[in-house]
Amino acid sequence: CVLGVFLYKNRVLCFIKPKIRSFQTSNYLSKLPLDGILVEGLICQPIAYWTNKRVVVLSHDPVEEYATYQTNLAIYHFKLNYAVISDRWKKDLPGEYPAILEIP
């Protein structure tokens, strides 16, 4: 009985897809022509799950110079074309949908 509840809670026996956020954002990203997305950490897993693109997580190093260097290195090394920034982690910004930017 306990095993059945555990398996149900972890969706092992369910025939429906788990409820994962960022479905609309991922659908939009899947339709974009280029591959390679730089994604903010809070939404990287849902976007990687729903989209068919390469996903790299944006660096959140506490030292701004290191974070900038790591981000620029990721963009260059992995040939990233888009950046997805979520404003959910900032309480002072309105909205709940992420911004999608094209990297030149």
Side-chain angles (χ1 to χ4, degrees):
C1 181
V2 174
L3 179 62
V5 172
F6 173 79
L7 293 175
Y8 179 76
K9 291 280 186 182
N10 290 298
R11 301 205 180 262
V12 175
L13 297 177
C14 294
F15 295 108
I16 58 172
K17 290 185 178 182
K19 185 176 181 181
I20 299 177
R21 297 180 187 266
S22 300
F23 181 72
Q24 292 177 341
T25 304
S26 299
N27 278 341
Y28 180 80
L29 289 168
S30 292
K31 295 175 185 174
L32 293 174
L34 301 173
D35 190 34
I37 304 168
L38 182 66
V39 181
E40 195 269 324
L42 291 176
I43 58 172
C44 67
Q45 291 177 337
I47 288 179
Y49 179 83
W50 286 117
T51 190
N52 57 356
K53 307 279 185 184
R54 293 179 296 117
V55 175
V56 176
V57 179
L58 179 66
S59 173
H60 277 288
D61 197 301
V63 179
E64 185 177 345
E65 294 170 355
Y66 294 153
T68 303
Y69 173 74
Q70 292 169 1
T71 301
N72 289 335
L73 185 64
I75 290 170
Y76 174 75
H77 183 71
F78 295 112
K79 297 179 176 78
L80 302 176
N81 305 104
Y82 305 105
V84 181
I85 310 296
S86 171
D87 57 3
R88 286 182 160 183
W89 60 279
K90 293 184 178 181
K91 295 180 181 176
D92 56 338
L93 294 176
E96 59 183 66
Y97 292 103
I100 300 172
L101 309 167
E102 186 169 355
I103 299 171

